[in-house]
Amino acid sequence: MAAPLSFTAITGIPAIAAGDDLAPIIANAIEAAGLAVNEGDVLVVAQKIVSKAEDRFADLREVVPSARARELSQITGKDARVVELVLSESTVVLRAVPNVLIVRHRLGYVMANAGIDRSNVASADGEERVLLLPLDPDVSAERLRTGLHTLTGIAPGVIVSDSFGRPWRTGVVNVALGTAGVPSLIDRRGETDLYGRKLEITQVAFADALTAGAALVMGEGAEGTPAVLVRGAQHDAPLANAQALIRPFAEDLFQ
Amino acid sequence: MAAPLSFTAITGIPAIAAGDDLAPIIANAIEAAGLAVNEGDVLVVAQKIVSKAEDRFADLREVVPSARARELSQITGKDARVVELVLSESTVVLRAVPNVLIVRHRLGYVMANAGIDRSNVASADGEERVLLLPLDPDVSAERLRTGLHTLTGIAPGVIVSDSFGRPWRTGVVNVALGTAGVPSLIDRRGETDLYGRKLEITQVAFADALTAGAALVMGEGAEGTPAVLVRGAQHDAPLANAQALIRPFAEDLFQ
């Protein structure tokens, strides 16, 4: 019997503030929970704590909506200042209908609202802060991996996770915004099946599958468990960061 | 520390033939592997073995392509007989370009080739057999759940899994075609975040996340491990079968 693949929520991570260094905070929480990082483990962390640590807050009181943002605000019913921030983080607007604004983020993700989040972002003087995605989640993942390596002697794979809606299917699943030390996309082109026929499925979104599974033990809504330790997911495919999971937009059939 | 979520591949499942009863085959494999099904466990099985057991084979030598199938065959480069079967299993063709044929399956899944698969389907006289999706994967899941309940006294959740491509992102992930005894979609509308604000993410594709995770330990390409035992994924949301994961087509923004 192969060892199981396991996902363990890392409890006890405190609220994260701008400027916090995530590596020691997470390493401490892992130790306090009686866990340890082993060679080959993967750490999945919620985008939200990465963005907070990187001070990706924006104050809506300082945002002046453009004419285009006001127009999209009218269509979607969303705050024009939030729409302005969405536009500033995006390259293309794919859909704007009531309650829905789907864009291509500057890093290639096609997602709602460029990942800008109002939930669980408080500020002393009300509800005027929102949180943008990290500047470059692959870099964020690499930084956390390096930090953990320095602290623990082990460099786990790291995935920065966010929840995405999908066309055609209801509900969100989590995907990998950024990764380090993980074969994000496993390319099996050239392999054959049991009968020697060429495989019909040739690329596997390995990091997205890990991220989807990890979300099952992340606290939903609250922030109790924004990090998950994954064990047993080793794969000998070449490492690739999460940009490998972005389909070139020009080749995409659904725009 | 919460118990981890674990995915264990069930090894030793023999090749499945038309007419096989999956419940005793899988129950025996679980026992032989030194595992047991516990209350609250979820069993994820590959679509392929369900389709084989249900004799969803089609013999291409008996298929006469329609004019529409021949036209789409010209565009896509796919076997016109396979295209004819795809059309017979579908309600809408969304995209047809070289090497790609994306349809809405009669059960609502938007997917390539209506899920019709040539890999790992051998026949005595060559390569003329293909395998369609189960007639109704929710019913297949319920049948397996009931069978396992009869045999073991425990009724695990059951998910029938298949790999799907996605727009905008590379690689496949697995999703739930059919489920039984699982809250496939968890509806959190009306809940609030830590600060009392309405949650922005209100529906979670729970069964799809489980299925994506399970695929990480299923044998890829070969059929060594077409079933996975999932432990620790209990959730008290109301049960819903996999039809809950299908977005009503009329409401979809990407057609």
Side-chain angles (χ1 to χ4, degrees), chain A residues 1-9 11 33-35 52 94-95 97 100 102 104 108-111 113 116-122 126-129 162-173 175-177 185-186 188 192-195 197-206 208-210 212-217 220-224 232-233 235 242-249 252-255, chain B residues 1-9 11 33-35 52 94-95 97 100 102 104 108-111 113 116-122 126-129 162-173 175-177 185-186 188 192-195 197-206 208-210 212-217 220-224 232-233 235 242-249 252-255:
Chain A
M1 190 182 92
L5 170 68
S6 71
F7 296 80
T8 306
T11 52
L35 301 167
K52 287 181 174 178
L94 273 82
R95 296 290 185 280
V97 301
V100 177
I102 298 173
R104 182 166 157 92
Y109 324 120
V110 174
M111 65 191 311
N113 308 318
I116 295 174
D117 200 339
R118 297 189 81 150
S119 63
N120 290 329
V121 182
E127 312 223 345
E128 296 293 277
R129 287 205 304 177
D162 199 6
S163 57
F164 273 36
R166 302 118 14 117
W168 315 320
R169 298 181 69 78
T170 56
V172 298
V173 292
V175 302
L177 293 184
L185 184 73
I186 296 178
R188 311 181 65 228
T192 54
D193 71 12
L194 288 176
Y195 305 100
R197 222 164 344 208
K198 212 177 70 181
L199 286 184
E200 298 196 357
I201 293 164
T202 52
Q203 293 188 311
V204 176
F206 185 74
D208 281 346
L210 278 179
L216 291 163
V217 298
E220 296 164 7
E223 285 181 272
H235 202 291
Q243 279 295 308
L245 293 164
I246 305 290
R247 191 191 298 276
F249 197 55
D252 202 275
L253 298 174
F254 294 92
Q255 300 193 9
Chain B
M1 188 183 92
L5 170 68
S6 71
F7 296 80
T8 305
T11 52
L35 301 168
K52 287 181 175 179
L94 273 81
R95 295 292 184 278
V97 301
V100 177
I102 298 172
R104 182 166 157 92
Y109 324 119
V110 174
M111 66 192 311
N113 309 318
I116 294 175
D117 199 340
R118 294 189 84 149
S119 64
N120 289 329
V121 181
E127 311 223 347
E128 297 293 277
R129 288 205 305 177
D162 199 6
S163 57
F164 274 35
R166 301 106 33 105
W168 314 321
R169 298 180 71 77
T170 56
V172 298
V173 292
V175 302
L177 292 183
L185 184 73
I186 297 178
R188 313 181 64 230
T192 55
D193 71 11
L194 288 175
Y195 304 101
R197 222 164 345 208
K198 211 176 70 179
L199 285 184
E200 297 196 358
I201 292 164
T202 51
Q203 293 189 310
V204 176
F206 185 73
D208 281 346
L210 278 179
L216 291 163
V217 298
E220 295 164 7
E223 286 182 90
H235 202 291
Q243 279 294 308
L245 293 164
I246 305 291
R247 192 189 297 275
F249 197 56
D252 202 276
L253 298 174
F254 294 91
Q255 299 194 7

Side-chain angles (χ1 to χ4, degrees), chain A residues 1 52 54 75 93 102 104 130 138 144 166 199 215 225 242:
Chain A
M1 190 182 92
K52 287 181 174 178
E54 296 180 4
I75 295 169
V93 174
I102 298 173
R104 182 166 157 92
V130 295
D138 279 326
L144 181 50
R166 302 118 14 117
L199 286 184
T225 52

Side-chain angles (χ1 to χ4, degrees), chain A residues 59-142:
Chain A
D59 187 334
L60 293 182
R61 291 167 304 183
E62 295 170 5
V63 177
V64 180
S66 62
R68 174 74 171 140
R70 291 197 306 271
E71 178 197 351
L72 290 168
S73 166
Q74 284 284 333
I75 295 169
T76 61
K78 293 176 183 286
D79 186 317
R81 301 168 302 171
V82 174
V83 174
E84 177 63 31
L85 290 170
V86 171
L87 292 176
S88 74
E89 284 279 281
S90 309
T91 56
V92 184
V93 174
L94 273 82
R95 296 290 185 280
V97 301
N99 299 313
V100 177
L101 179 57
I102 298 173
V103 301
R104 182 166 157 92
H105 183 273
R106 59 186 166 74
L107 293 174
Y109 324 120
V110 174
M111 65 191 311
N113 308 318
I116 295 174
D117 200 339
R118 297 189 81 150
S119 63
N120 290 329
V121 182
S123 57
D125 48 4
E127 312 223 345
E128 296 293 277
R129 287 205 304 177
V130 295
L131 192 57
L132 313 189
L133 295 192
L135 266 187
D136 185 334
D138 279 326
V139 171
S140 307
E142 184 61 45

Side-chain angles (χ1 to χ4, degrees), chain A residues 15-58:
Chain A
I16 301 298
D20 282 351
D21 186 356
L22 289 181
I25 292 171
I26 291 173
N28 288 342
I30 288 171
E31 194 181 344
L35 301 167
V37 178
N38 290 354
E39 201 66 57
D41 288 353
V42 177
L43 183 73
V44 181
V45 295
Q47 162 267 323
K48 195 167 291 188
I49 65 168
V50 176
S51 289
K52 287 181 174 178
E54 296 180 4
D55 196 9
R56 293 285 290 156
F57 294 101

